[in-house]
Amino acid sequence: MTQARPKIVVLTAPGEGLPEGMNALEGIAELQVAEDAESLRATLPGARVLCVTDFRTEALAEAWPAADALEWIHATSAGVDALLIPEVRESDIPVTNARGIFDRCIAEYVLGQIIAFCKDFAGNWRLKQSHQWQHRETEPVAGRSVLVVGAGSIGRQIARLCGAIGMSPDGVGRRARPGDDDFGAIYAQADLISVLPDYDFVVIAAPLTADTEGLFGEAEFQAMHPGARLINIGRGPIVNTDALVDALRDGAIDGAALDVFEQEPLPPEHPLWDLPNAHISSHMAGDFIGWKTALSQQFIDNFERWRNGETLNNTVDKAHGFVPSA
């Protein structure tokens, strides 16, 4: 059993303040907010729990020497790459994440982008802007093949929705596994380039790790068939952006829907903005109305488990950077 009012530090982006719903812990825990390396260094001493809402933070490495009592680190995001500094990886401090909160909405986003490509919604919009009536035929969605790179909980939700409307979903994981109710087949990541030519849609749903950073570059885009579309809802650095721009311009692939980027925010002068075959959104694929409160409640539920000495939910395999599938 831990002390009555353990100290929790919440590391946020500058100006965000305490997350919605987190005040439910007042009276149970001592809550302090940090928003940069300096304030984190000042608040970490004595803190037993660190909750990180800023998935882009670089503050932890600089402030780490002040972490003298940490017993648990939680990320209110699926990705934990910013937190897995060597000191955290090598420690026995558990890291948990927000697995499960965004899965369904991200899958809905992916399905929406697939339908938008097949039904040429972007073309309709451009014709509307110029007041042109132009009848066209569009592609059926049913029967299309989709390869989901990342066969974790988000990838499975994507496969389920795609399968429900008649698509054929396969997956890519760290190693090959027999197919199941969600995926027809799961290939090893090492075999990615050999299977890419077989798919109409390729969806990146993998976490950012040493194994996935730069996974998609010129060779992978050349391996995809020219009518294929890429959808990235994983992490931006998994894709080499310059190679993607070239592939979209040269017709190596037909289109891309991108919610994440190597550089965020995407600079206003970036060529991706002006490519008609690139659909752009601002790292929001999973952000539904009420998501901040849902993240706080997930943390509070796990905090109760921690306080009672129970096994934490969503414990990350720090060697690989994600929560292992059940």
Side-chain angles (χ1 to χ4, degrees), residues 50-53 73-80 83 95-98 298:
L50 174 63
C51 178
V52 182
T53 70
I73 300 173
H74 178 74
T76 62
S77 58
V80 295
L83 304 182
V95 175
T96 59
N97 73 355
Q298 184 187 51

Side-chain angles (χ1 to χ4, degrees), residues 29 55 104 155 223:
F55 67 89
R104 178 72 182 196

Side-chain angles (χ1 to χ4, degrees), residues 3 28 91 103 122 129 138 166 243 252 286 297 322:
Q3 67 185 35
I28 300 173
S91 75
D103 297 8
Q129 295 300 98
T138 61
Q297 188 58 55
F322 53 84

Side-chain angles (χ1 to χ4, degrees), residues 18-280:
L18 193 68
E20 296 174 18
M22 198 73 79
N23 57 358
L25 288 174
E26 292 176 353
I28 300 173
E30 176 189 347
L31 295 170
Q32 294 192 12
V33 175
E35 59 180 28
D36 54 26
E38 182 179 359
S39 56
L40 182 61
R41 190 165 50 245
T43 54
L44 269 180
R48 305 182 72 170
V49 180
L50 174 63
C51 178
V52 182
T53 70
D54 181 7
F55 67 89
R56 299 185 184 92
T57 187
E58 298 179 353
L60 188 56
E62 186 175 342
W64 183 256
D68 58 1
L70 270 185
E71 298 177 16
W72 168 36
I73 300 173
H74 178 74
T76 62
S77 58
V80 295
D81 47 283
L83 304 182
L84 294 182
I85 61 175
E87 293 86 346
V88 172
R89 284 185 183 273
E90 294 163 9
S91 75
D92 59 0
I93 299 171
V95 175
T96 59
N97 73 355
R99 174 178 166 133
I101 295 291
F102 302 109
D103 297 8
R104 178 72 182 196
C105 284
I106 289 176
E108 291 170 353
Y109 172 95
V110 170
L111 182 58
Q113 290 289 0
I114 289 172
I115 294 172
F117 275 122
C118 288
K119 302 308 175 186
D120 193 23
F121 290 167
N124 287 340
W125 177 251
R126 287 191 292 269
L127 290 168
K128 177 182 181 293
Q129 295 300 98
S130 57
H131 298 193
Q132 294 184 62
W133 179 278
Q134 182 180 324
H135 180 268
R136 303 175 331 283
E137 296 177 343
T138 61
E139 307 165 30
V141 179
R144 296 290 177 176
S145 57
V146 55
L147 183 68
V148 183
V149 181
S153 62
I154 294 174
R156 286 191 173 278
Q157 282 287 346
I158 293 168
R160 287 168 189 164
L161 287 191
C162 289
I165 62 167
M167 300 185 74
S168 300
D170 291 327
V172 172
R174 284 192 299 122
R175 53 186 176 273
R177 307 197 293 275
D180 52 35
D181 292 341
D182 299 320
F183 296 102
I186 299 179
Y187 302 103
Q189 184 175 303
D191 297 325
L192 174 65
I193 203 160
S194 66
V195 300
L196 281 173
D198 300 331
Y199 293 91
D200 301 306
F201 289 91
V202 176
V203 181
I204 299 174
L208 179 62
T209 68
D211 292 331
T212 62
E213 185 169 5
L215 182 63
F216 278 78
E218 181 181 1
E220 286 70 28
F221 295 129
Q222 291 298 324
M224 294 169 65
H225 72 72
R229 285 86 171 225
L230 178 79
I231 300 174
N232 188 7
I233 51 80
R235 291 300 299 273
I238 295 174
V239 174
N240 181 304
T241 307
D242 291 340
L244 174 61
V245 169
D246 289 342
L248 291 169
R249 283 175 169 166
D250 299 343
I253 62 174
D254 188 66
L258 308 168
D259 187 57
V260 291
F261 304 87
E262 282 188 283
Q263 182 181 356
E264 294 184 8
L266 187 67
E269 69 279 3
H270 199 282
L272 279 171
W273 289 111
D274 296 316
L275 291 177
N277 54 349
H279 300 180
I280 305 295

